[in-house]
Amino acid sequence: MERLPGFRDFYPEPLPSKDAWSADARSYLFDQWRAVARRYGFREYDGPPLEPLELYTAKSGDEIVGQLYNFSDKGERAVAMRPEMTPTLARMIAGHQRNYPKPIKWFAIPQLFRYERQQKGRLREHFQLNADVFGEKDPSVDAELIALLIDTLRALGLTDEDFVVRLSSRNAWQEFFVQRGGTPDRAYAFFQVIDKLEREQEAESARLLQALGFALPDVQEFIRAATPTEELGLILSQLSARGLSPYVKVDYNVIRGLAYYTGPVFEAFDRRGEFRAIAGGGRYDNLVKVLSGGKVDLPALGFGMGDVVLMELLRARARLPEFTAGIDVVCLIEDEARRPQTLRLAQRLRDAGRAVEFSLTAAKPDKQFKRALELKARCTAQIEPDGSVRVRELKARDERRLSVDEFVQSMTQAR
RNA sequence: GUGACUGUAGCUCAGCAUGGUUAGAGCCCCAGAUUGUGGAUCUGGAUGUCGCGGGUUCAAAUCCCGUCAGUCACCCCA
């Protein structure tokens, strides 16, 4: 039986093949994500992976169904695997925001789905760190959120030589647009052209801009100058005060494809430009109001950081730690007559919180020892004929003899 | 949805152009021996619908068509 296309199996290390996904690395990534989010006072939430199709079609239109992993369930309900967390989150916030003091700072690590042909950095399923803040308009929150994004990547061993956050603002472009006589009906088309500027041929962009009443050199000069708006200036200064300046730069090329962004927007990229965006986000002050049918009006902002691109980057830059089984003690059973005593010892060590392994069947001593080495265990313990324990520290190549009680005691303290 | 390239053992691959005994190697895994203790060495063993289906042929891993899957790019990007 094969996997469904675009889905992944996660194996324990060592990995069976070069392109296999590591369950250990995934746990490591999630642990780091959670740890940093909590340092910033974010609380974890979650929602259903399967939602009514209308949750996504209601505000985005039917055309997105083509990209959704959707189907009819046995109750003939039109359902979709969640492609993003924001609608679910907006529902949760709209329903119960009054129970939480503002600002509400929440994060989640949902598995998200889409129905598309897979390519590099883009599968049919991925995990994403989502961090959002509700109920605060001040740009210092934007700075806080961007700082969280930066620190998350730093916690994974990435430096300012590996990545940069490109900071931009919908407001800056809106101002540019209005100042040059742009009319609201053309705003969307204009943003689309700006969004594609880096990928599209210059001549084509120039043509499209001209049709909208703009000049490409004017747009290029605006991007080149990269003059921060007042709110971007505040965000930059607060990041600077944290010592995070090297990780961020104003870059008006970034505009984000989504229609609902309203203020500062940002994307994190690897410096060498080998990968897709690592993370992206921004302000969406109107979305909660729209999704709640006008009942709740809360300013909001957030970002998403996917595991696929990030893992590719961490692998390419060799920033992932070595993963082992994390075994503390391998009990060696030289003589099967001492297996009961050894089981007793193993049980006591496990009760003390240590990870313990031993051969479940009779095996030659050297084979057991080799297994301990393969497991990269911290030490081996062997019950001797006189009832004492012979302990060998594998790394230090140190050997000592002590009583079972002493050994268990030392392993308890070592925590 | 479109296009290009790829698909042989658990893994990495050879064999395919020019069809021809029983499809190979290394690694991994398992067993035994040896070494008298730091992942060594030796011997043996297991695992293949040659992605799948059809066609051409006396004969297909090899040639042709289709299909599925993978990789990459496009479209799109939450």
Side-chain angles (χ1 to χ4, degrees):
Chain A
M1 284 293 274
E2 307 228 318
R3 253 173 297 151
L4 251 25
F7 286 77
R8 296 172 289 174
D9 291 328
F10 289 86
Y11 289 88
E13 308 232 4
L15 300 180
S17 73
K18 222 179 107 192
D19 52 352
W21 288 85
S22 165
D24 293 308
R26 189 179 76 171
S27 294
Y28 164 76
L29 182 63
F30 288 6
D31 288 347
Q32 297 299 322
W33 278 351
R34 287 203 168 91
V36 180
R38 286 180 183 142
R39 266 182 244 160
Y40 275 76
F42 281 65
R43 303 297 306 277
E44 185 162 4
Y45 72 95
D46 200 0
L50 197 63
E51 292 274 18
L53 183 62
E54 307 98 273
L55 184 65
Y56 307 110
T57 55
K59 304 302 170 196
S60 309
D62 290 342
E63 60 274 16
I64 66 153
V65 174
Q67 299 179 58
L68 291 177
Y69 211 109
N70 70 302
F71 51 92
S72 291
D73 72 6
K74 290 184 179 178
E76 286 170 25
R77 278 175 287 261
V79 297
M81 306 288 281
R82 63 185 170 198
E84 58 169 329
M85 204 57 182
T86 309
T88 301
L89 176 58
R91 177 183 64 209
M92 293 168 67
I93 289 289
H96 298 284
Q97 54 90 14
R98 287 167 64 101
N99 294 303
Y100 297 93
K102 311 297 177 297
I104 297 173
K105 301 196 290 182
W106 285 3
F107 80 96
I109 305 180
Q111 188 173 21
L112 306 175
F113 306 85
R114 67 183 133 233
Y115 201 91
E116 282 185 333
R117 206 151 151 182
Q118 63 175 314
Q119 55 186 298
K120 185 177 177 161
R122 215 166 150 80
L123 308 171
R124 285 187 173 177
E125 147 276 319
H126 69 135
F127 293 92
Q128 193 180 65
L129 170 66
N130 273 246
D132 294 88
V133 184
F134 297 87
E136 180 55 66
K137 282 187 292 189
D138 195 274
S140 62
V141 180
D142 300 68
E144 175 82 344
L145 189 74
I146 292 167
L148 166 59
L149 192 167
I150 292 169
D151 276 347
T152 302
L153 296 176
R154 287 179 64 223
L156 293 162
L158 297 169
T159 70
D160 60 329
E161 291 185 7
D162 298 311
F163 76 94
V164 65
V165 176
R166 299 161 73 190
L167 179 62
S168 178
S169 176
R170 280 285 168 91
N171 294 335
W173 278 113
Q174 183 64 31
E175 213 170 287
F176 177 97
F177 182 74
V178 171
Q179 273 176 4
R180 286 157 182 76
T183 50
D185 56 305
R186 291 178 163 181
Y188 181 75
F190 176 73
F191 286 145
Q192 287 291 101
V193 178
I194 300 300
D195 189 37
K196 291 203 168 103
L197 223 44
E198 285 181 302
R199 285 169 287 162
E200 191 62 80
Q201 297 282 329
E202 273 207 8
E204 177 66 4
S205 293
R207 193 183 66 76
L208 291 169
L209 284 170
Q210 192 147 25
L212 292 165
F214 296 87
L216 180 61
D218 188 22
V219 167
Q220 285 170 328
E221 174 54 25
F222 180 72
I223 292 171
R224 195 204 59 74
T227 310
T229 59
E230 193 183 330
E231 71 184 344
L232 292 187
L234 189 140
I235 292 168
L236 287 170
S237 73
Q238 292 205 356
L239 288 171
S240 175
R242 291 159 152 100
L244 298 179
S245 289
Y247 294 93
V248 61
K249 68 170 183 189
V250 171
D251 187 338
Y252 288 141
N253 279 302
V254 172
I255 195 158
R256 306 281 298 156
L258 275 178
Y260 59 64
Y261 285 114
T262 55
V265 291
F266 49 87
E267 290 183 344
F269 283 89
D270 78 289
R271 288 268 188 190
R272 296 193 210 169
E274 292 170 24
F275 301 93
R276 290 168 173 276
I278 304 163
R283 271 226 175 242
Y284 52 96
D285 284 345
N286 303 325
L287 190 65
V288 176
K289 188 172 184 181
V290 172
L291 286 176
S292 69
K295 285 180 189 165
V296 180
D297 188 7
L298 277 179
L301 65 159
F303 72 80
M305 179 186 293
D307 74 309
V308 177
V309 172
L310 186 50
M311 208 58 90
E312 284 172 351
L313 177 62
L314 290 172
R315 268 190 158 191
R317 303 287 178 268
R319 297 298 156 76
L320 289 168
E322 189 189 0
F323 299 108
T324 66
I327 297 297
D328 297 308
V329 184
V330 169
C331 295
L332 304 178
I333 303 173
E334 190 181 30
D335 180 347
E336 282 300 312
R338 295 200 285 278
R339 179 171 289 272
Q341 286 168 272
T342 308
L343 290 175
R344 175 69 192 139
L345 172 63
Q347 186 66 35
R348 288 182 65 182
L349 291 168
R350 284 172 173 169
D351 283 349
R354 317 311 330 189
V356 181
E357 271 280 24
F358 52 86
S359 178
L360 294 168
T361 55
K364 291 183 181 178
D366 70 320
K367 193 161 197 172
Q368 295 183 42
F369 191 75
K370 278 182 181 175
R371 176 52 56 87
L373 292 170
E374 275 173 20
L375 286 168
K376 296 193 194 308
R378 269 173 51 198
C379 66
T380 61
Q382 181 177 335
I383 297 196
E384 298 291 287
D386 66 1
S388 66
V389 186
R390 180 181 169 198
V391 180
R392 272 183 284 183
E393 299 285 343
L394 295 181
K395 207 169 174 185
R397 303 200 176 201
D398 190 36
E399 185 171 327
R400 57 211 155 101
R401 290 280 280 260
L402 52 175
S403 73
V404 169
D405 287 342
E406 284 168 343
F407 179 52
V408 171
Q409 180 67 17
S410 74
M411 293 307 289
T412 305
Q413 287 169 340
R415 276 193 111 170

